[in-house]
Amino acid sequence: MQTSFHRDPSISTTVKLRVIGRQQQLLRIDFETPPSHEILTAKLADYEQLVQSCDIIVLSDYGKGGLTHIADMIERSHAAHKRVLVDPKGDDWARYRGASMITPNRTEFREVAGRWRDEADMARRAHAVRKELGIDALLVTRSEEGMTLFVEEGAQHFPAVAREVYDVSGAGDTVIATIAVLLGAGAPLATAVQVANQAAGIVVGKLGTAVVTPSELG
């Protein structure tokens, strides 16, 4: 693993305050300051060098300012012929245009596509968003409803793995990381999503941010 950090003396590290009750997270309060332009420019230069040595690019947008140049990062990834997976944030998805795949949760998708009447209406909205942004695949994670994958050929639904939910922290990260690993290993997209669905069902049954081991996936 290779990590590249830059120190920004003008800001403090983000602090995340989690409120826990009866072994379950109730809410989270963040204290943060966006990074400076100089630091972001330096990180973009790092990205330009590192992208050449990667098979799959994962960009998780937490809305903290670290991916201010994400549109440029996606463009540079395409120039290097790399697939890009994006975990989005907010209702401005134009900056994710051209990504290979985006993985919004149900609420994030609703903010962009609007409320749907039924599954058919949801599919129409999902395909419209995917085509408008030039995205190969759109995966909507739907909590207790599982997750649905939308691609050019159609839609495929993956029911939720039934288990008690203790903490959803890191579930989205688990999904996109699992998909990236499997795609990098050459697995078909549907297989990668199926395993990611299983991994998400495991991780939400653990308290706090947690990992899923290969043995747990069977």
Side-chain angles (χ1 to χ4, degrees):
M1 177 182 293
Q2 182 178 350
T3 304
S4 174
F5 287 121
H6 287 251
R7 181 180 296 276
D8 190 341
S10 65
I11 66 173
S12 299
T13 301
T14 297
V15 175
K16 299 181 180 181
L17 175 62
R18 303 180 189 275
V19 180
I20 307 295
R22 295 186 178 181
Q23 299 292 301
Q24 293 184 323
Q25 177 174 307
L26 303 178
L27 58 91
R28 193 185 81 194
I29 305 170
D30 293 358
F31 304 88
E32 61 198 10
T33 305
S36 66
H37 173 75
E38 291 75 17
I39 290 295
L40 291 174
T41 301
K43 293 296 292 182
L44 189 59
D46 285 353
Y47 181 82
E48 179 72 43
Q49 296 180 348
L50 293 172
V51 72
Q52 301 296 331
S53 60
C54 299
D55 296 317
I56 303 289
I57 310 298
V58 176
L59 300 175
S60 291
D61 193 347
Y62 290 93
K64 308 299 184 185
L67 291 180
T68 297
H69 302 302
I70 191 170
D72 193 4
M73 297 168 77
I74 293 173
E75 185 176 337
R76 297 186 188 200
S77 298
H78 281 309
H81 306 290
K82 309 294 183 178
R83 284 186 288 184
V84 187
L85 313 184
V86 177
D87 191 352
K89 180 69 69 176
D91 58 4
D92 179 17
W93 286 6
R95 60 183 182 271
Y96 308 134
R97 187 179 304 277
S100 305
M101 181 180 195
I102 59 174
T103 61
N105 62 36
R106 183 172 49 194
T107 301
E108 292 165 341
F109 178 67
R110 186 182 293 120
E111 288 179 359
V112 172
R115 292 185 176 276
W116 50 90
R117 298 184 301 275
D118 50 31
E119 291 296 312
D121 187 28
M122 179 186 183
R124 284 193 294 270
R125 293 170 185 268
H127 286 301
V129 170
R130 187 184 58 76
K131 291 178 180 179
E132 179 184 353
L133 298 179
I135 295 168
D136 296 331
L138 170 62
L139 178 67
V140 182
T141 57
R142 306 170 63 180
S143 300
E144 73 282 357
E145 297 176 353
M147 54 185 67
T148 307
L149 175 65
F150 300 94
V151 294
E152 181 66 31
E153 295 75 20
Q156 184 173 357
H157 185 70
F158 301 82
V161 179
R163 63 175 57 237
E164 186 171 1
V165 177
Y166 280 98
D167 195 339
V168 298
S169 300
D173 298 314
T174 298
V175 168
I176 198 170
T178 303
I179 293 173
V181 169
L182 288 168
L183 289 181
L189 178 57
T191 300
V193 173
Q194 182 177 10
V195 177
N197 185 44
Q198 182 183 355
I202 294 171
V203 79
V204 298
K206 301 180 180 183
L207 182 61
T209 52
V211 298
V212 177
T213 63
S215 61
E216 289 177 303
L217 290 172

